[in-house]
Amino acid sequence: QVQLVETGGGSVQAGGSLRLSCAASEYRRCMGWFRQAPGKKREGVASIDVDGITLYANSVKGRFTISKDNAKNTLYLQMNSLKPEDTAKYYCAAEWVGCGTWLNPAAVDGWGQGTQVTVSS
């Protein structure tokens, strides 16, 4: 099973930016980001497939950008115009069933440790 290590989280004020990284132990064709806020279910944020086609949750469209460096086996999430409701622990995932067509956390069978993002108003 691929090992995933997320970094780049932190605390910012509303309107600020953060860039998350996820280092994978080996290449994966399709990867994505999920997040979980306290007391809430884990939800999908974005995915990117082997052809570079991206999928975003409506709540982050126009503010977040997912990208992937295949040479480094690293996934990124550039987060701009952050809002307090973006506060959550962010996790990356690789090649779940239906990756690239939906953002269903129930389809993911392996997670990294996550990285915390806190946005203050």
Side-chain angles (χ1 to χ4, degrees):
Q1 190 173 7
V2 64
Q3 303 301 309
L4 304 167
V5 179
E6 303 95 333
T7 55
S11 297
V12 296
Q13 290 191 325
S17 298
L18 282 173
R19 188 193 194 205
L20 306 183
S21 299
C22 171
S25 57
E26 55 193 52
Y27 173 74
R28 285 293 184 265
R29 294 162 53 92
C30 181
M31 297 184 71
W33 291 95
F34 293 76
R35 66 186 182 185
Q36 187 166 18
K40 295 190 176 181
K41 292 182 179 180
R42 194 164 297 188
E43 63 178 5
V45 175
S47 68
I48 183 167
D49 71 9
V50 64
D51 296 317
I53 296 174
T54 57
L55 178 67
Y56 292 96
N58 288 334
S59 59
V60 306
K61 279 181 182 177
R63 300 188 298 121
F64 291 11
T65 302
I66 189 170
S67 61
K68 193 163 167 278
D69 185 333
N70 292 324
K72 297 181 178 180
N73 293 338
T74 301
L75 180 71
Y76 302 99
L77 185 68
Q78 178 65 45
M79 306 186 295
N80 298 329
S81 302
L82 282 161
K83 304 176 181 180
E85 51 263 45
D86 294 317
T87 294
K89 198 162 191 179
Y90 284 70
Y91 301 86
C92 71
E95 286 186 347
W96 58 92
V97 174
C99 183
T101 60
W102 69 345
L103 295 166
N104 183 2
V108 178
D109 64 0
W111 301 98
Q113 84 288 350
T115 186
Q116 179 68 37
V117 171
T118 303
V119 185
S120 58
S121 57

